[in-house]
Amino acid sequence: MAVIKIGIADLNVASGSDVLRTAGLGSCVGVTLYDESTKIGGMVHVMLPESPKNKSGYKKAKYADTGIPELISKMEEKGCNKSKLVAKIAGGAQMFSFSGEESKLLKIGERNAKACRDILGAHKIKILADDTGGSYGRTIELYCETGKLMIKTVKEGVQEV
Amino acid sequence: MTEQQPYEEFHLDALKEIGNIGAGNATTALSNLLSRSIEMSVPEVNILPFDEVPYVVGGPEELVVGIYLQVEGEAPGSLMLLLEKEDAIKLVSILMTGEIPDDVSDKNIEDMEQSALMETGNILASSYISALSDFTRLGMAPTVPALAIDMAGAILEVILLQVGDVSEHVLMIGTEFSYDKNKIRGHFFLIPEDNSFSKILKSLGIDDGSN
């Protein structure tokens, strides 16, 4: 068994007894995809909803609209059938709240989560678990053996979905 | 900042001086507030890939208190006051009772204490920013602060968002402050926005080569 760490704006694919892990998700969203028939799992740590249209050379995993398709094609390369993929997502919190007018920057968690849902929907990938929003950080682990997602928080403890 | 425009050593020295002036003033304010002698480290200017940012305070899952606010005006950016949870409890205990309790490991930070920490953040940020503003003659003002107690990774993400769209790195001007040989330690981080660098450097009479 290996624990594979995914950093911010990063993605990876693993299988069998491996565990994919990303720590300290705030407004970022951890999107995990899983194919039960091959026990292949994938995880992307999305930071922003939408990639810049006038620029290239960025990390695809940074944005929901490029990171999720990139993860899907990486999993297809490993032998997954896209139609069998199911998703679980977590994160998209608003860590700081200000009284009065809230800046666009601080609503980013909500927008990230929505973008991820929309893109998964466009790819006809079913979302089995959606633990997004709130005002707390999350660490997530995807167990490729079972497809279970462990979500750990400071305030709400640990849950498995 | 952008990858195409790497900063020279003397640019970084100028930014360190900015940190020195801002954090120096904030440290004095903290000393006055706590009636204790607070020490400050030499500022560090770090250009960090996103993943390394949480390691400035012990990794993405370290439990910390973050007091965050934005800097508005001619050189916008953000400012974060970051303390490990136990250090925040010690700090607020001095503020409210004048002393540090023997064991703070299982204490919670209640609403009243959060307000006190936010007000502390407000005072420190105002001191930091006003010193900076005076020194550079650029108009700057802090917004009202917000506070979060959670994993360092989740809290520090907010400063990455500010630069995330244009860069893969974040430039942070960091200073550590401490009381009584590390009884309490904390950090100030100033994170100028992309366009603020050349303005700050120019205000100091340094040409950053961008024009």
Side-chain angles (χ1 to χ4, degrees):
Chain A
M1 184 194 107
V3 177
I4 297 156
K5 288 184 185 163
I6 316 283
I8 299 168
D10 200 5
L11 60 78
N12 217 328
V13 176
S15 62
S17 61
D18 291 344
V19 178
L20 289 162
R21 179 175 212 270
T22 198
L25 286 163
S27 57
C28 292
V29 176
V31 177
T32 70
L33 298 177
Y34 186 64
D35 174 3
E36 199 182 358
S37 63
T38 55
K39 296 195 188 301
I40 294 173
M43 184 184 284
V44 56
H45 186 135
V46 166
M47 192 175 154
L48 294 164
E50 209 178 328
S51 58
K53 297 288 169 262
N54 53 356
K55 179 177 168 224
S56 59
Y58 52 78
K59 279 175 94 172
K60 284 187 177 163
K62 199 197 282 186
Y63 307 97
D65 65 344
T66 49
I68 294 171
E70 178 78 358
L71 184 62
I72 294 169
S73 54
K74 284 263 188 301
M75 293 180 75
E76 284 177 326
E77 280 169 28
K78 296 268 177 192
C80 287
N81 187 334
K82 186 175 159 185
S83 65
K84 289 190 176 156
L85 292 177
V86 289
K88 292 178 181 177
I89 67 173
Q94 181 172 336
M95 298 304 298
F96 291 93
S97 55
F98 290 88
S99 50
E101 199 187 333
E102 306 216 329
S103 87
K104 209 174 97 191
L105 206 61
L106 299 161
K107 290 257 181 192
I108 199 84
E110 209 177 296
R111 285 165 53 217
N112 276 337
K114 183 181 181 302
C116 290
R117 273 181 227 119
D118 289 350
I119 285 145
L120 289 167
H123 286 271
K124 300 192 168 48
I125 295 173
K126 196 174 169 194
I127 301 172
L128 295 187
D130 182 339
D131 180 35
T132 54
S135 58
Y136 47 87
R138 296 165 171 92
T139 288
I140 60 170
E141 288 179 359
L142 179 71
Y143 298 89
C144 296
E145 193 66 51
T146 58
K148 287 269 185 209
L149 184 70
M150 189 275 297
I151 304 167
K152 192 171 90 179
T153 62
V154 173
K155 289 165 198 161
E156 316 285 323
V158 180
Q159 59 161 326
E160 226 177 48
V161 293
Chain B
M1 69 167 292
T2 55
E3 268 69 37
Q4 293 77 20
Q5 190 189 49
Y7 281 85
E8 307 272 353
E9 198 59 39
F10 66 94
H11 293 141
L12 299 182
D13 284 343
L15 294 173
K16 268 181 211 166
E17 189 51 26
I18 290 289
N20 213 4
I21 286 159
N25 210 38
T27 303
T28 305
L30 185 61
S31 294
N32 292 338
L33 195 64
L34 300 180
S35 309
R36 302 282 198 286
S37 167
I38 308 292
E39 287 172 31
M40 182 188 107
S41 73
V42 176
E44 280 185 21
V45 178
N46 290 310
I47 301 169
L48 298 172
F50 295 158
D51 268 343
E52 287 178 24
V53 170
Y55 291 95
V56 297
V57 285
E61 291 184 281
E62 186 78 29
L63 186 56
V64 297
V65 177
I67 299 161
Y68 169 78
L69 50 92
Q70 285 167 318
V71 181
E72 296 175 337
E74 290 180 76
S78 56
L79 190 74
M80 176 86 79
L81 171 64
L82 209 61
L83 298 126
E84 285 181 27
K85 191 184 162 205
E86 290 191 5
D87 289 315
I89 293 169
K90 289 180 195 167
L91 192 150
V92 83
S93 299
I94 295 182
L95 263 179
M96 295 173 83
T97 68
E99 54 192 52
I100 300 176
D102 291 336
D103 184 15
V104 296
S105 55
D106 55 357
K107 273 192 63 117
N108 280 322
I109 300 178
E110 310 295 342
D111 285 354
M112 179 75 89
E113 292 160 335
Q114 290 195 21
S115 300
L117 280 170
M118 251 192 285
E119 188 47 31
T120 305
N122 203 11
I123 292 165
L124 300 189
S126 303
S127 313
Y128 196 119
I129 299 304
S130 73
L132 213 57
S133 184
D134 288 348
F135 184 65
T136 58
R137 294 188 199 158
L138 295 168
M140 288 181 239
T143 60
V144 175
L147 175 138
I149 306 164
D150 214 304
M151 301 178 198
I155 284 179
L156 285 163
E157 260 176 19
V158 72
I159 64 175
L160 306 183
L161 296 173
Q162 184 188 298
V163 295
D165 225 4
V166 290
S167 179
E168 310 293 333
H169 296 83
V170 59
L171 188 150
M172 305 170 73
I173 304 169
T175 320
E176 188 178 284
F177 62 87
S178 59
Y179 161 59
D180 195 7
K181 295 210 167 45
N182 300 331
K183 255 189 192 162
I184 300 176
R185 286 193 304 154
H187 306 261
F188 297 116
F189 294 107
L190 177 72
I191 308 99
E193 265 176 31
D194 194 22
N195 298 331
S196 299
F197 289 107
S198 48
K199 280 187 194 155
I200 290 173
L201 292 171
K202 210 172 284 170
S203 75
L204 303 177
I206 298 165
D207 184 5
D208 73 338
S210 67
N211 298 317

